[in-house]
Amino acid sequence: MKFKDYYATLGVERGATEAEIKKAYRRLAHKYHPDVSKEKDAEARFKEVAEAYATLKDAEKRAAYDQLGRHRPGEEFRPPPGWGTQFGDAGSVFEDVDLADLFAGIAGHRGRGGQRGPSGAMRGADYEARVSITLEEAFHGTEVSLDLTTTEFDEHGAPRRVPRSVKARIPKGVADGQVLRLPGQGGKGARGGRDGDVYLAVSLRPHRLYRVSDHDLFLDLPVTPWEAALGATVKIPTLAGSVNLKVPAGTRAGHHLRLAGRGLPTPHGGAGDLHAIVQLTMPSELSARERSLLQELAAASSFNPRQHLE
Amino acid sequence: MTTDRGEAFGFDEERPLALSDLADLSGLSEAEVLELVDYGALSPADATAGQCVFTVRSVTVARAAHRLREDFELAPDGVALLLSCLDRIRDLEEQLRALRARLPRSAGTGAAGVGG
């Protein structure tokens, strides 16, 4: 079992008072709580902080932790003889056990998510995971593989870490930031309690062509000035393959040309739209013929787009 | 290592959800759910005498309420206030994302020459 320095995690001395521990926890929770933080690795940091606080805020657990002695963080160690029997039902088998599991077993607590029902049935713990998928995967639906380490308890209540792999089928049309539920894929229930769930937060990776807003997609569409002026039919990519788009004569820069139903699918049938945003683009170099024709146009045209500025 | 397979479901449906199921899925007690309803943090789909019916959309809000209550050791009114602020932030972020999506990727200001 690897040692974790809970005092260092909270940034307090080993002799810190209860009030000092609470204050340190709250300061770090404000900084790293995944619901309010934008810090990098906030979720992982908050897990460490919450685990440390769950043990140090409880006098019995803190006493049990202090009796483990001082070790370097990450150092392999074993609790002193008799430690397991002294502290409740924490068990005496320390193989495949995380430090947090030992303290979750003390004082009848099961940590985040596990709940005890009126008949003593224990619902399995819920787990939260994040997954990042491509727009193409969101469009077609996909399967992702999640590696979880769940905590299970034997008939004596001793905890055991169980590595598990869960293949999750993600339905098509998932939106950026959406949370999905995988029923029964969390921690195992005990004494007739139902298994916990996995909650999967899905984010969409940035795409080289499309920007996403809800189920709508936005694409920059480069168009030549003469295509914009005269009208044209251009081929554009969609997530379902290329389609021909009619650029009407007289199209201006910044115009949105909407392709209804060519965005991301929505959960109940239907789909968002694809918006092609027109960008007038000039050749980086003009041929002599192009220059000559443009000069002829400049001489022939009386159009003044800046009339309102005069 | 064991491998399991599961189908992931969204919470964006209008499917009705009983108070007891919402409590079970969120980790809140039924009394806590009803207290959050009183503070306006949760809205029942159909509140009739003696029974509250929600939609599955409420699950994500109720789970966030449970996390915030546990992790910040907040009273229900504090949870409701924080949820309301987070909801406004999410709404503003969504508006920002929608506006950015509408801007051409190359949008920006080029250097302008000044003629005489």
Side-chain angles (χ1 to χ4, degrees):
Chain A
M1 185 163 42
K2 285 187 166 45
F3 185 75
K4 297 175 190 171
D5 189 336
Y6 287 157
Y7 291 102
T9 300
L10 292 182
V12 296
E13 299 292 326
R14 285 182 84 89
T17 64
E18 207 174 300
E20 287 168 338
I21 287 170
K22 181 182 269 195
K23 190 175 174 186
Y25 165 74
R26 287 191 168 172
R27 185 174 51 79
L28 292 167
H30 288 175
K31 190 172 181 187
Y32 294 117
H33 196 283
D35 283 311
V36 298
S37 176
K38 295 287 181 198
E39 294 272 341
K40 196 172 171 239
D41 300 331
E43 192 166 351
R45 287 283 287 124
F46 181 73
K47 270 186 188 167
E48 294 169 5
V49 168
E51 180 185 324
Y53 183 58
T55 293
L56 297 186
K57 74 174 179 182
D58 181 298
E60 188 185 358
K61 291 182 185 180
R62 185 177 177 185
Y65 176 77
D66 288 344
Q67 286 202 21
L68 295 175
R70 292 175 186 238
H71 306 271
R72 287 190 309 278
E75 181 185 335
E76 285 289 339
F77 81 106
R78 289 182 71 82
W83 187 92
T85 50
Q86 187 186 349
F87 293 104
D89 58 354
S92 55
V93 179
F94 302 113
E95 302 298 332
D96 300 327
V97 171
D98 186 83
L99 196 52
D101 298 329
L102 286 188
F103 294 103
I106 296 176
H109 293 289
R110 286 284 303 273
R112 198 179 179 109
Q115 297 166 53
R116 195 185 291 273
S119 62
M122 294 279 279
R123 197 192 137 189
D126 293 337
Y127 288 85
E128 291 176 1
R130 291 179 187 276
V131 66
S132 175
I133 63 172
T134 65
L135 267 188
E136 285 81 1
E137 288 171 330
F139 183 78
H140 295 290
T142 188
E143 188 174 83
V144 296
S145 190
L146 308 170
D147 290 325
L148 302 172
T149 302
T150 58
T151 303
E152 293 181 9
F153 292 78
D154 66 16
E155 63 273 23
H156 307 294
R160 189 166 59 97
R161 305 286 277 184
V162 181
R164 287 176 55 214
S165 175
V166 177
K167 302 255 186 220
R169 180 77 207 157
I170 295 182
K172 68 178 182 180
V174 68
D176 192 33
Q178 193 174 346
V179 177
L180 303 173
R181 176 176 168 238
L182 285 156
Q185 298 292 345
K188 295 286 174 205
R191 303 185 197 103
R194 77 169 177 84
D195 295 342
D197 304 324
V198 172
Y199 288 85
L200 191 58
V202 181
S203 61
L204 301 182
R205 288 186 207 142
H207 194 277
R208 73 181 180 88
L209 293 179
Y210 307 108
R211 299 181 294 280
V212 185
S213 173
D214 196 14
H215 288 86
D216 287 344
L217 299 177
F218 293 82
L219 166 78
D220 291 341
L221 179 65
V223 168
T224 63
W226 41 96
E227 284 173 332
L230 304 173
T233 298
V234 298
K235 188 180 272 191
I236 68 162
T238 75
L239 288 172
S242 295
V243 296
N244 287 326
L245 174 69
K246 190 171 184 302
V247 178
T251 292
R252 294 181 177 196
H255 265 189
H256 284 218
L257 302 175
R258 187 170 69 97
L259 284 95
R262 295 286 184 172
L264 290 173
T266 53
H268 308 293
D273 301 330
L274 171 61
H275 300 258
I277 305 173
V278 172
Q279 287 187 289
L280 293 190
T281 310
M282 290 295 294
S284 51
E285 281 183 33
L286 293 173
S287 66
R289 171 82 172 133
E290 285 169 332
R291 181 175 292 279
S292 162
L293 286 170
L294 286 169
Q295 282 169 339
E296 194 178 329
L297 174 64
S301 176
S302 59
F303 174 56
N304 179 7
R306 295 170 298 280
Q307 195 166 25
H308 65 292
L309 300 178
E310 291 170 357
Chain B
M1 181 160 62
T2 60
T3 299
D4 299 308
R5 283 181 184 277
E7 190 82 19
F9 299 96
F11 289 105
D12 52 352
E13 298 168 28
E14 295 302 326
R15 188 163 54 83
L17 191 71
L19 170 62
S20 56
D21 290 332
L22 181 58
D24 180 50
L25 287 171
S26 65
L28 294 167
S29 68
E30 292 185 18
E32 286 169 328
V33 171
L34 293 175
E35 208 164 359
L36 288 170
V37 171
D38 287 342
Y39 285 114
L42 284 171
S43 303
D46 177 24
T48 53
Q51 189 182 22
C52 264
V53 176
F54 298 83
T55 68
V56 291
R57 285 181 193 277
S58 301
V59 174
T60 44
V61 181
R63 284 181 56 78
H66 179 240
R67 281 195 302 271
L68 295 169
R69 189 208 64 188
E70 292 281 299
D71 297 337
F72 290 109
E73 300 171 324
L74 292 173
D77 61 332
V79 171
L81 179 67
L82 190 48
L83 282 173
S84 162
C85 292
L86 289 173
D87 199 39
R88 284 184 66 186
I89 291 171
R90 246 189 311 276
D91 193 39
L92 290 169
E93 285 177 338
E94 183 50 45
Q95 286 184 41
L96 186 62
R97 193 162 34 242
L99 287 170
R100 281 186 175 150
R102 284 161 175 76
L103 285 176
R105 197 163 269 167
S106 58
T109 51
V114 179

